[in-house]
Structures are given as C-alpha cells and as structure tokens.
Amino acid sequence: MRTLSLIGIGAGDPEHVTMQAVAALNRVDVFFVMDKGSQKDDLVQLRRDICARYITHDKYRFVEIEDPVRDLSIVSYPERVQRWHEARVALYQATLSRELGEHGRGGILVWGDPMLYDSSLRIVEQLCARDPQLTYDVIPGISSIQVLCARHRITLNQIGGAVHITTGRRLQQGFPAGVHDVLVMLDGECSFRTLDEPELQIYWGAYLGTAHEILIAGKLGEVATQIEQVRADARERHGWIMDTYLLRREQPRD
Ligand SMILES: C[S@@+](CC[C@H](N)C(=O)[O-])C[C@H]1O[C@@H](n2cnc3c(N)ncnc32)[C@H](O)[C@@H]1O
C-alpha cells in the first residue's frame, strides 16, 4: 500500500508547523510540490526550508510537478477549475507511479490548513478512487484565518454570532445576508471597494506570518484606499501577494 500525507504547514511562519506535522514530515519519502512559476518561488523555498529545519534524516527528496495552465478560453469558472483539477490529477497519477515505491509514503505540503480553499484533498480523493493501492491521511495546519485574527488580536466571531467565509469574487455580489462577520480570501481585486458601507470595520493582512507581513485595520471608508495602494505597491515589490481580511458589522445588542 502506498500512502499520501497531506500536511498543513501553516500560512508562512515555519514556527506554526505543529509537532504532529513534524512527525509526519519525518515519515515521508518523497515530497510532491506543484511548481506555480517563478513568482511563487518564495513559497516553494519556504517548503524546502521547513523540511530542512524539521526533518532529522536526509533520505527524503522533492519532486516538482509543473502546474497545468488554466484554459482561459473556457468561460464557465466552475468548468474551467474542474478541467484544471482533472489535468492536475492526471499529472499526479503519472508522477506518483513513477516516483513512489510500492510501499512508499508521499507528502504534499499544504499551505495553511488542507480543509480551506485548497484543492489537494479533492485531488488526492480522486487519485485514491483510481488506485486501490493508494491511501491518505491529513494533518491539520494553522490557517491564514487564525494568523489574521491573532495578529489583529481579534476574535473571528462576535458573541454567539455566525461567520461567513467567502471569496472576493462572491463578495462582489454584496455583503452576505444574516451575518455580521465576513472573512474574505482569494481576492485579487480588493472587492471590498464594491461595498457601499463606509462604517464597516476591516481587518486586513498580507504575507501573514512572514517577514513581509503588513496589517491595516480601520473603518472601510477611512482605510480602503490605503489598503489598495499598499497592496499594489507590495505586489509590485515582491512579484506576488497573498492577503485576506475580515469585514465586521457591529452586532446589535439584544
Ligand atoms: C488557496 S487559499 C489557501 C488557504 C489556506 N489553505 C489556509 O488555510 O489559509 C489562498 C488564500 O489564502 C489566503 N492566505 C493564505 N496565506 C496567507 C498569508 N500568509 N497571508 C495572507 N493571506 C493568506 C489568501 O486569501 C490567499 O489568496
């Protein structure tokens, strides 16, 4: 039986790697890393640094898999993503059968936690469905949401309140109904600009847990332009950016 371990490695700070993840890292023979192009070299390097720091033997190796390009001619977003996942599954399948021994253990180092906006689990489920000799386990990691809240020293929810986690794309359809706290990820367009609610509180963080970390908080009407500018400058400087934010409406007191 071959095994794949999906290991959450935290959102940028190597000290967020848990003891459980360290034990799992030490059991892996081959780490499979999706190469997402030179702009994300920093992120691949961080994975290598984590292994060098926490693995106590030198018998492991890295295999890079070139990430397939998304076909932008497919208009439907879900279909485009589905095709892209299928291409990734095919690539993984070919690479696993070439690189992983009959009883080998492969590792996939997942940014943050594997349960949140990450396709690795879906890909691995599909790989296991195609190969009865392949199984997998999941090691949780510190998510960027946890780091955002810790850095701003805030709770994610207000007392007894619900929290809505969404993407920038969906936020553009409006502030979700029925909640006072909305956590936004995967937003390349500062979608908070589309909300006409200057009193909303925003807690924004970029490169959380890394040496480049930036934090801004305040009323949307007061800091939205600043965030846009800071974000654009940082993206230009580093060649990539990862940012996330919490939008908070004051919850009425009963
Ligand atoms: C593909 S999702 C992966 C989320 C990850 N699984 C997690 O648990 O945080 C990538 C998005 O997570 C957020 N993110 C991840 N790491 C971050 C970081 N260090 N700083 C700020 N945002 C981050 C950004 O919104 C980014 O677009």
Side-chain angles (χ1 to χ4, degrees):
M1 204 76 180
R2 294 182 302 171
T3 307
L4 275 178
S5 285
L6 277 88
I7 306 173
I9 55 166
D13 184 343
E15 297 205 345
H16 289 161
V17 175
T18 67
M19 300 297 283
Q20 192 181 33
V22 171
L25 290 171
N26 274 280
R27 288 194 294 269
V28 169
D29 306 306
V30 186
F31 291 97
F32 297 96
V33 184
M34 272 284 174
D35 178 3
K36 298 191 177 195
S38 57
Q39 287 189 344
K40 297 242 172 129
D41 280 354
D42 288 1
L43 307 185
V44 174
Q45 190 54 46
L46 184 100
R47 288 171 164 86
R48 288 185 179 275
D49 292 346
I50 283 175
C51 289
R53 181 165 172 171
Y54 293 117
I55 298 180
T56 53
H57 60 82
D58 58 5
K59 294 184 195 69
Y60 68 92
R61 58 197 174 89
F62 269 81
V63 170
E64 288 191 15
I65 303 175
E66 204 171 320
D67 203 11
V69 181
R70 295 189 203 205
D71 184 350
L72 297 179
S73 69
I74 302 172
V75 182
S76 151
Y77 179 75
E79 194 188 328
R80 197 188 315 153
V81 172
Q82 195 193 327
R83 292 276 183 85
W84 179 51
H85 285 178
E86 282 165 8
R88 283 179 144 193
V89 171
L91 261 179
Y92 259 104
Q93 198 176 16
T95 313
L96 283 183
S97 59
R98 198 176 57 237
E99 302 285 348
L100 200 60
E102 217 180 310
H103 301 290
R105 183 178 284 267
I108 299 179
L109 302 179
V110 183
W111 197 257
D113 189 288
M115 55 80 197
L116 187 67
Y117 287 122
D118 191 280
S119 53
S120 307
L121 254 169
R122 273 183 285 269
I123 289 172
V124 170
E125 279 166 4
Q126 288 177 45
L127 285 170
C128 290
R130 291 178 184 195
D131 179 357
Q133 292 306 309
L134 184 66
T135 183
Y136 67 102
D137 53 27
V138 179
I139 312 293
I142 301 273
S143 163
S144 55
I145 298 183
Q146 290 163 278
V147 187
L148 179 78
C149 291
R151 289 290 184 269
H152 281 290
R153 302 183 300 176
I154 54 168
T155 56
L156 181 59
N157 60 288
Q158 296 176 65
I159 298 172
V163 178
H164 189 110
I165 301 176
T166 191
T167 62
R169 180 185 290 261
R170 286 182 182 276
L171 185 72
Q172 290 178 19
Q173 294 158 20
F175 195 94
V179 291
H180 291 86
D181 287 283
V182 178
L183 193 293
V184 185
M185 309 182 77
L186 292 163
D187 184 4
E189 298 177 25
C190 294
S191 302
F192 50 79
R193 289 175 316 172
T194 62
L195 304 174
D196 185 16
E197 202 174 324
E199 290 299 308
L200 270 182
Q201 184 76 19
I202 182 167
Y203 298 94
W204 179 82
Y207 312 101
L208 291 160
T210 76
H212 307 316
E213 183 176 276
I214 315 171
L215 301 172
I216 298 177
K219 288 194 173 156
L220 198 53
E222 291 165 8
V223 297
T225 307
Q226 183 196 355
I227 294 174
E228 262 187 271
Q229 280 166 2
V230 168
R231 187 184 192 283
D233 291 349
R235 189 170 191 273
E236 172 82 25
R237 204 164 50 249
H238 302 300
W240 63 275
I241 190 163
M242 275 208 266
D243 61 330
T244 183
Y245 53 92
L246 179 71
L247 294 169
R248 170 158 290 167
R249 260 184 200 154
E250 184 111 7
Q251 189 170 265
R253 294 201 186 122
D254 296 327

